[in-house]
Amino acid sequence: MNEVPVLITCEDQFLPVYAKPGDAGADLRAAESVSVPANGRVTVKTGVSIALPNGYVALVHPRSGLAAKFGVTVLNAPGTVDAGYRGEIAVTLFNSSLEAFEVKTGDRIAQLVIQQVEVANFVRVQKLPESSRGHDGFGSTGVQ
């Protein structure tokens, strides 16, 4: 297992934790109690600030249980936390249900996934090389 040094500031109860061995995402918890209105969104503080090494990114993903059971997801999923960002991580939750969703301090609201990233060298060209897919877009491969 490769270890990535992640400097973190938070209260002990808000430290991101991997729930089970082999999990890709560490749980982020709400640092405040809020109500997410029906068909509405709220940005929730996590009490966590991190410092990643250059070449890494933290991605904020939804928790599948919140989405499946309550219709609550991360609005801009995945949210991107760049290596240079030092502010508190906040999660914008969206409630697609018809009832308000109550978040209590300490509830698990999202997952933090740390990944290595490549820096692209963008090269402007006059024409792109051909591919088997070409210009076909959404739905181009059919349903089955």
Side-chain angles (χ1 to χ4, degrees), residues 11-77:
E11 301 293 325
D12 287 344
Q13 70 268 26
F14 300 123
L15 188 67
V17 174
Y18 295 99
K20 296 181 181 176
D23 284 356
D27 290 324
L28 287 173
R29 296 182 178 274
E32 58 186 341
S33 294
V34 298
S35 180
V36 186
N39 289 308
R41 63 183 180 267
V42 172
T43 300
V44 184
K45 295 178 180 182
T46 65
V48 173
S49 298
I50 62 174
L52 293 168
N54 285 334
Y56 287 85
V57 64
L59 301 173
V60 179
H61 288 269
R63 294 193 70 243
S64 58
L66 287 182
K69 294 175 186 173
F70 305 105
V72 174
T73 190
V74 176
L75 188 59
N76 61 323

Side-chain angles (χ1 to χ4, degrees), residues 9 18 24 27 41 53 60 63 77 80 85 94 106 122 127 130 133 135 138:
T9 60
Y18 295 99
D27 290 324
R41 63 183 180 267
V60 179
R63 294 193 70 243
T80 301
Y85 179 67
F94 175 70
F122 295 98
K127 184 179 178 193
E130 297 295 324
R133 183 172 181 168
H135 293 281
F138 292 112

